[in-house]
Amino acid sequence: YRDTSTRGYRMTTADGKRVSAYRIVAQLAGSDGDFYGVQGVNWADPPILKNPSEIRRIKGRDYELFYEGGKLGLVAFHRDGASYWVSNTLMRKLTEKQMLALAQSLRKSR
């Protein structure tokens, strides 16, 4: 996911710790205004990832699924003290299968 839309930044946690993060915004293919996101943050337990609706193990990795009104809004996972997630479009146009495929495709850069 190396792209010119990737934006790195630093933020401060509630307990005052500075952490690094990045955000990628991608446009849904064939759409004029639907965007989804990929987020990574050097923080083991960001508040947005509290209380998943479900935890699903796929190919040795635990994914946290967050449903909103019956539709999948976020898919997250944790690795080495960092957290990563894919967020659906505002109108939840990505299917569960697409969201899970995006999350599974995230790999550490070499």
Side-chain angles (χ1 to χ4, degrees):
Y1 288 95
R2 291 185 182 177
D3 186 292
T4 58
S5 72
T6 303
R7 185 175 79 85
Y9 61 96
R10 302 216 6 111
M11 60 189 209
T12 304
T13 65
D15 62 359
K17 182 181 174 187
R18 295 282 291 164
V19 295
S20 298
Y22 68 86
R23 178 77 175 170
I24 300 169
V25 177
Q27 187 169 2
L28 189 61
S31 169
D32 288 331
D34 294 303
F35 298 87
Y36 63 93
V38 176
Q39 179 84 33
V41 62
N42 191 21
W43 187 0
D45 59 349
I48 193 170
L49 301 182
K50 297 282 188 225
N51 302 315
S53 305
E54 175 186 342
I55 297 174
R56 193 178 300 176
R57 189 161 191 85
I58 303 170
K59 297 181 181 177
R61 183 188 282 173
D62 288 332
Y63 292 93
E64 297 174 353
L65 283 63
F66 297 81
Y67 292 91
E68 301 164 0
K71 296 209 175 192
L72 189 56
L74 290 174
V75 176
F77 67 93
H78 306 272
R79 179 180 174 189
D80 299 330
S83 302
Y84 307 89
W85 63 91
V86 176
S87 55
N88 206 335
T89 67
L90 288 175
M91 299 302 292
R92 308 293 180 243
K93 290 192 175 180
L94 291 173
T95 66
E96 181 174 308
K97 184 176 180 178
Q98 290 170 318
M99 294 281 292
L100 288 168
L102 285 165
Q104 290 177 68
S105 74
L106 298 175
R107 298 284 180 255
K108 191 173 184 177
S109 178
R110 293 178 192 198

